[in-house]
Amino acid sequence: MTTSLTRCRWANPANPLYLAYHDEEWGVPCHDERRLFEMLNLEGAQAGLSWETILNKRASYRVAFDDWDAEKIAAYDADKVAQLLANPGIVRNRLKVAAAITNAQAYLRLRASGTTLDAWLWAYVGGQPLGPEPGARPARTALSDRISKDLGKLGFKFVGSTIVYAYMQGIGMVNDHDPACFCRHQP
């Protein structure tokens, strides 16, 4: 029974979506382009909110944002933005919706330059996840500061250092599972 496993303190045991996210995604190295793009936008949507709020809306986000198809999102017009802002299944924040569109455009420019988001991100860590920081889990690091700045230069929005560090955790660039968590030492 998976509920008897020792997990990170933040994994809400009352929410099956949260437990599945913790057990199967968080801290697991991700190289899937669409998921990398999705998670970057969802981490930005989280700003000022809890991750659990966004996770609970993730299925609605996937429908609302065309399964995170960057080409479709980059072409969203005012009518589509109005539709998104009226959708109770997502965070209806005009700046965050606009950021997803801007991020799709920046992502497509990155791809047009001949690189993938996967290759671009993982180059910062030599293709290997970083181990946990000694002591408490930080909200940001010098590396997240650098990636945040570089994403901003590429035109991405809602990519502050704290958001980027949470993103790095979520896509497995860093393994920040609690020392007693059963996921801490999984490959």
Side-chain angles (χ1 to χ4, degrees):
M1 174 178 258
T2 59
T3 55
S4 64
L5 296 172
T6 301
R7 292 182 172 87
C8 294
R9 294 177 304 275
W10 56 263
N12 180 357
N15 185 337
L17 284 175
Y18 220 171
L19 291 182
Y21 174 72
H22 170 273
D23 295 357
E24 300 164 17
E25 293 182 57
W26 196 78
V28 176
C30 175
H31 298 281
D32 178 85
E33 280 294 300
R34 190 166 298 215
R35 183 162 175 270
L36 290 170
F37 179 67
E38 172 188 36
M39 290 299 293
L40 184 63
N41 283 289
L42 292 179
E43 290 292 353
Q46 178 195 349
L49 304 168
S50 72
W51 177 246
E52 190 168 14
T53 297
I54 301 303
L55 187 60
N56 289 336
K57 293 177 177 282
R58 181 161 66 168
S60 294
Y61 266 97
R62 286 178 175 158
V63 171
F65 284 90
D66 293 297
D67 198 28
W68 296 104
D69 181 323
E71 289 186 17
K72 289 181 181 178
I73 297 168
Y76 284 177
D77 60 12
D79 289 340
K80 178 63 175 185
V81 169
Q83 179 187 22
L84 290 167
L85 293 174
N87 184 340
I90 68 168
V91 175
R92 295 177 286 179
N93 176 298
R94 184 173 298 281
L95 293 176
K96 292 177 181 182
V97 168
I101 298 166
T102 299
N103 289 349
Q105 295 163 348
Y107 172 76
L108 293 174
R109 284 191 304 273
L110 178 68
R111 294 297 303 261
S113 76
T115 193
T116 62
L117 186 57
D118 176 52
W120 188 86
L121 288 166
W122 284 92
Y124 284 93
V125 293
Q128 296 296 316
L130 301 174
E133 292 282 325
R137 187 181 295 127
R140 62 188 274 190
T141 63
L143 181 56
S144 69
D145 290 347
R146 189 167 134 218
I147 294 172
S148 169
K149 184 177 178 182
D150 291 349
L151 283 166
K153 287 178 184 175
L154 292 173
F156 288 88
K157 302 292 181 196
F158 275 87
V159 290
S161 186
T162 301
I163 290 169
V164 168
Y165 193 73
Y167 178 58
M168 292 168 63
Q169 292 170 310
I171 64 168
M173 285 179 71
V174 61
N175 178 351
D176 264 348
H177 283 282
D178 290 346
C181 178
F182 82 97
C183 293
R184 175 76 169 242
H185 301 288
Q186 290 186 344

